[in-house]
Amino acid sequence: MLARGSDVLSATTPAATAPLNEWLAWLEAARGEHIDLGLERCVEVAARLELPRPAPVVVTVAGTNGKGSSVALLSSIWRGAGYRVGAYTSPHLLRYNERIRIDSVAVDDARISAAFARIEAARESVALTYFEFGTLAALCIFAEAGLDVVVLEVGLGGRLDAVNIVDADVALIAAIGLDHEDWLGNSREQIATEKAGIMRKGRVAVCSDNDLPHTLLDHAAQCGALPAVLGVDFSFEDEGVDWTWWSGESVLEHLPYPALNGAHQLRNAAGVLKVIDVLQTRLPVDAAHIADGLRTVSLPGRFHRLSRTLDYVIDVAHNPQAAEIFTATLARLPTAPVTHALIGMLNTKNHRGFLAPLLPDVQHWHFATLGGSTGARAEELAACLRELAPRAVIHCHDNVAAAHAAITASAVAGERVLVLGSFLTVGAMLEQLAARPSLS
């Protein structure tokens, strides 16, 4: 369980002019693993900062899986149409700056450091978590950037998440599965209620889950939101060479597939196009820009393939639903002679539920211990797999680098390596591959 509660930020606050790495080290040491859901703290500090609305149009995106893809698709389409777009996402893969982007470019260190200093000066005794600091910093930066639209990704849940201090013009809720059960509930119905908290009275809430828990619609009715549901208010059809989307009398035909791997991306794209449709009078976008945005969208770490001596498939999937989506996408690839899995996870995740869908695809399992109090030990993951597959070939390693070294020492050219389980695992693997381009 992650810590909740009191403000433990030390008195040795970085100087206002300190570089970003000092600010991040300070925040990570004191609050990096704290979760304390609630809006009161952010509302109070935002008021002290006199933060204006971050942009004329705000879209908030929630969901268990598909949030990142939806944010990337929205940003790609609106940028292509000539709008200035801010996007706030989490967590990051390689650099903290990835979380705050303007026109798909990560904001520089100086702007984030200045925002942190401003927040620290304003908060006084108000306790803020690591995520709350980052959210307020993003809102400060966006408010000063002269943007047309901002897309905010929920970090955890929705109702009590820091981004929910901003009233969204449109809410987008992607696929809902089981994750963060200690915080959000142990059923899809309970989790859906938490995610529905980003809805607002009289405003459209787009739902791109094709198996929607009834509690989400119940909440929409109670709060007066206007739900637009996949399969009811809008839909799509995969035509084999392209796809068609429609909502009422609006029809888009011969659309290119999103440049993101997986059949599930059509579901994400369908929800995104409904958001575009709802906001068409405020942010007009023509069919050509939609097509270009679908073709050019990019999102590292989501079924990211790298073909070297070995065939790498890298994905931040870390919950049971994401594992099922991953294996369904993997099934569309040619069969590999041998598949190795390099997996590192947090100890807050459902390890058994995540590993079970991968069993038919993996012959050699390599588990890596992740650092910090929330990182699961490799031996814990191995014990869980032993319960599912007693004869599985399992290796445990101190970290991702050691796991990868073991794989490359034993694997034969053409074999496949799946890298999964956490943003931390994927980030460490991408660093390995970037540092040694010739690495197998």
Side-chain angles (χ1 to χ4, degrees):
M1 178 69 70
L2 301 184
R4 308 176 190 240
S6 63
D7 181 19
V8 294
L9 292 174
S10 71
T12 55
T13 306
T17 56
L20 181 59
N21 64 331
E22 288 188 20
W23 280 104
L24 292 176
W26 175 70
L27 282 170
E28 288 165 3
R31 301 288 284 176
E33 295 174 353
H34 282 62
I35 294 176
D36 194 0
L37 296 177
L39 303 182
E40 297 84 1
R41 296 177 302 278
C42 274
V43 167
E44 182 174 347
V45 177
R48 292 181 184 181
L49 292 165
E50 298 183 344
L51 282 183
R53 191 168 177 78
V57 178
V58 176
V59 176
T60 300
V61 182
T64 307
N65 296 298
K67 298 193 301 288
S69 297
S70 298
V71 173
L73 285 161
L74 284 167
S75 298
S76 182
I77 292 169
W78 275 324
R79 278 191 303 105
Y83 297 108
R84 299 208 67 215
V85 184
Y88 176 58
T89 60
S90 64
H92 59 277
L93 288 174
L94 299 175
R95 297 175 63 229
Y96 183 89
N97 311 55
E98 298 166 23
R99 298 179 178 223
I100 308 173
R101 292 178 175 269
I102 294 176
D103 293 336
S104 288
V105 177
V107 170
D108 60 65
D109 288 9
R111 294 173 79 176
I112 300 174
S113 296
F116 281 162
R118 184 181 168 195
I119 293 161
E120 177 60 14
R123 77 173 185 93
E124 298 178 355
S125 62
V126 178
L128 290 175
T129 68
Y130 177 95
F131 182 76
E132 289 168 343
F133 254 87
T135 301
L136 288 168
L139 296 177
C140 286
I141 291 166
F142 291 155
E144 296 172 352
L147 304 176
D148 297 302
V149 56
V150 159
V151 187
L152 303 174
E153 179 187 331
V154 167
L156 175 59
R159 180 175 64 93
L160 298 176
D161 188 83
V163 303
N164 204 31
I165 68 171
V166 181
D167 292 328
D169 295 280
V170 178
L172 172 58
I173 300 176
I176 298 170
L178 295 177
D179 201 1
H180 301 294
E181 290 99 320
D182 287 345
W183 300 91
L184 305 179
N186 57 13
S187 70
R188 290 182 73 240
E189 289 71 24
Q190 288 176 309
I191 292 171
T193 299
E194 290 298 318
K195 297 186 184 301
I198 67 170
M199 297 177 176
R200 293 297 189 270
K201 181 178 181 179
R203 298 183 181 180
V204 175
V206 176
C207 308
S208 57
D209 190 320
N210 54 2
D211 181 22
L212 203 62
H214 70 86
T215 50
L216 195 144
L217 294 179
D218 292 345
H219 183 86
Q222 292 166 9
C223 75
L226 309 174
V229 179
L230 177 62
V232 178
D233 303 287
F234 66 98
S235 195
F236 67 93
E237 183 70 32
D238 185 350
E239 309 289 359
V241 293
D242 52 32
W243 63 294
T244 300
W245 176 93
W246 66 91
S247 178
E249 296 182 358
S250 299
V251 180
L252 294 170
E253 298 179 297
H254 306 300
L255 291 168
Y257 293 117
L260 301 172
N261 287 307
H264 64 288
Q265 294 295 356
L266 287 185
R267 181 183 64 208
N268 291 329
V272 162
L273 294 191
K274 183 57 184 176
V275 173
I276 299 287
D277 181 59
V278 170
L279 292 170
Q280 192 68 281
T281 58
R282 299 177 67 182
L283 299 171
V285 179
D286 62 30
H289 288 132
I290 289 173
D292 287 343
L294 293 170
R295 288 191 196 97
T296 60
V297 64
S298 175
L299 187 62
R302 276 68 165 187
F303 211 89
H304 183 178
R305 294 188 66 195
L306 289 171
S307 293
R308 300 188 176 183
T309 304
L310 303 176
D311 178 25
Y312 292 87
V313 184
I314 303 171
D315 199 289
V316 297
H318 54 261
N319 58 59
Q321 184 186 53
E324 291 170 1
I325 292 170
F326 177 85
T327 57
T329 306
L330 191 68
R332 298 161 70 94
L333 300 182
T335 303
V338 175
T339 296
H340 308 258
L342 192 168
I343 297 174
M345 301 186 73
L346 299 182
N347 57 27
T348 55
K349 300 301 177 181
N350 179 348
H351 301 156
R352 185 185 184 93
F354 178 80
L355 295 172
L358 302 172
L359 289 174
D361 296 303
V362 179
Q363 288 78 54
H364 297 274
W365 300 82
H366 291 260
F367 293 115
T369 295
L370 297 185
S373 64
T374 60
R377 295 174 57 251
E379 291 76 13
E380 296 170 18
L381 299 175
C384 185
L385 182 62
R386 287 282 183 214
E387 296 176 1
L388 294 169
R391 297 184 179 181
V393 179
I394 302 173
H395 309 273
C396 294
H397 308 278
D398 291 338
N399 50 52
V400 171
H404 185 237
I407 291 171
T408 56
S410 63
V412 175
E415 294 182 351
R416 180 172 289 159
V417 182
L418 311 179
V419 183
L420 303 163
S422 170
F423 276 79
L424 296 174
T425 306
V426 169
M429 188 72 249
L430 291 177
E431 285 181 339
Q432 284 266 305
L433 295 173
R436 299 173 61 187
S438 61
L439 200 62
S440 294

